[in-house]
């Protein structure tokens, strides 16, 4: 049975990343804990990038003729 990833909302992910930064800045965090938090943060950041890439690919705009076309910055 294939395990499905839970879809992360960007706002929630950014909040979690902010919390992780606070943890990493704590003087009480051990080296092992900081490495674990760092790894989790990198995984979360990768998920954020994937979500942003999907959104960018699906953004459409109206052209002068009222037709939809892919948005290219």
């Amino acid at each position: 049975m294939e395990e499905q990833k839970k879809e992360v909302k960007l706002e929630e992910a950014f909040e979690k990343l902010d919390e992780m930064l606070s943890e990493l800045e704590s003087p009480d965090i051990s080296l092992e804990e900081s490495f674990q938090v760092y790894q989790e943060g990198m995984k979360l950041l990768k998920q954020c990038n994937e979500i942003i890439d999907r959104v960018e690919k699906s953004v459409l705009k109206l052209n002068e003729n009222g037709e939809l076309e892919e948005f290219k910055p």
Side-chain angles (χ1 to χ4, degrees), residues 2 17 22 25 30 45 48 51 55 63 73:
E2 192 174 318
L17 286 169
S22 294
E25 292 172 344
S30 71
L45 192 56
C48 290
I51 292 169
V55 170
N63 64 19

Side-chain angles (χ1 to χ4, degrees), residues 11-23:
E11 295 83 6
E12 293 171 357
F14 290 152
E15 280 183 29
K16 181 65 178 167
L17 286 169
D18 194 40
E19 291 172 13
M20 290 175 164
L21 282 174
S22 294
E23 281 184 64

Side-chain angles (χ1 to χ4, degrees), residues 4 9 12-13 19-21 28 30-31 33 35 39 44 47 52 54 57 59 61 70:
Q4 293 187 2
K9 292 186 179 182
E12 293 171 357
E19 291 172 13
M20 290 175 164
L21 282 174
D28 299 328
S30 71
L31 182 58
E33 290 171 322
F35 186 66
Q39 283 183 315
L44 191 54
Q47 288 177 334
I52 291 169
R54 266 197 323 267
K57 289 176 183 174
V59 172
K61 69 173 183 173
E70 187 177 326

